[in-house]
Amino acid sequence: MGDIARVLITRDEIKKRVAEIADKISSDYKGEEILAVCVLRGASIFFADLVRELKCKTKIDFISVSSYGAGTTSSGEVKIVKDLNETLDGKNLLIVEDIVDTGITLNYLKNLLAARNPKTIKICTLLDKPDRRVRPLQPEYCCFSIPNEFVIGYGLDYKEEYRTLKDVCILDPSVYSKK
Ligand code: XMP
Ligand code: MG
């Protein structure tokens, strides 16, 4: 495990916090139906844990956007790789993301989906790096605010590796500074 500098958030801390956020979402949307949208692929593991804790009627859908190349810095470009199957007209849209960094991806995605006329639109993120923001974006639900370090695990990758780690870990900078 030489690629991991250290564990930042343990699986137990994640489990507890996901349940807390799910309770908050469930009470905020009481009596309403949610369309939870998973932003692939990073949010997939968080999404699966979160939606199973929700107490309100929930449908799920998936979208895939590309914002980064293979590395650790944003290219500033966002494009839809796989669009939703569902229409959004009149629905309570909850976008579920792994991490908000510069805000470029979600700022773009939120505007794009808002144009499809949902009744409400909110963002739930596992992680937030507020210091890195270059576009305005305030997630309504955030499990953890983290410092500006590149993290992996619990869905998050570096060059498609490490997504299946159970904890959120800090990647050893030597892994990407070498290349
Ligand atoms: P922006 O900058 O558009 O970025 O808010 C959001 C996307 O950037 C990726 N990202 C990371 N992925 N560890 C990762 O595995 C990180 O520390 C990290 N920071 C940003 C991520 O794909 C997210 O959807
Ligand atoms: Mg992502």
Side-chain angles (χ1 to χ4, degrees), residues 70-134:
T72 60
T73 52
S74 177
S75 64
E77 280 169 47
V78 180
K79 86 173 188 261
I80 294 214
V81 178
K82 181 230 168 287
D83 207 339
L84 298 172
N85 290 350
E86 298 289 320
T87 57
L88 298 184
D89 201 26
K91 295 180 184 168
N92 292 305
L93 175 63
L94 181 68
I95 303 172
V96 181
E97 177 61 301
D98 53 356
I99 183 163
V100 186
D101 186 27
T102 62
I104 291 171
T105 310
L106 276 184
N107 188 287
Y108 171 87
L109 194 58
K110 194 178 177 186
N111 288 334
L112 182 102
L113 298 181
R116 298 184 191 178
N117 214 21
K119 181 177 167 196
T120 62
I121 177 162
K122 287 190 186 182
I123 290 170
C124 176
T125 187
L126 174 71
L127 305 173
D128 189 5
K129 287 181 184 170
D131 296 347
R132 294 256 308 157
R133 212 66 102 247
V134 302

Side-chain angles (χ1 to χ4, degrees), residues 39-43 67 97-99 163:
V39 185
L40 294 170
R41 281 170 271 180
S67 53
E97 177 61 301
D98 53 356
I99 183 163
R163 289 193 197 275

Side-chain angles (χ1 to χ4, degrees), residues 31-46:
E32 298 273 335
E33 183 171 317
I34 300 176
L35 177 65
V37 166
C38 173
V39 185
L40 294 170
R41 281 170 271 180
S44 56
I45 293 175
F46 170 48

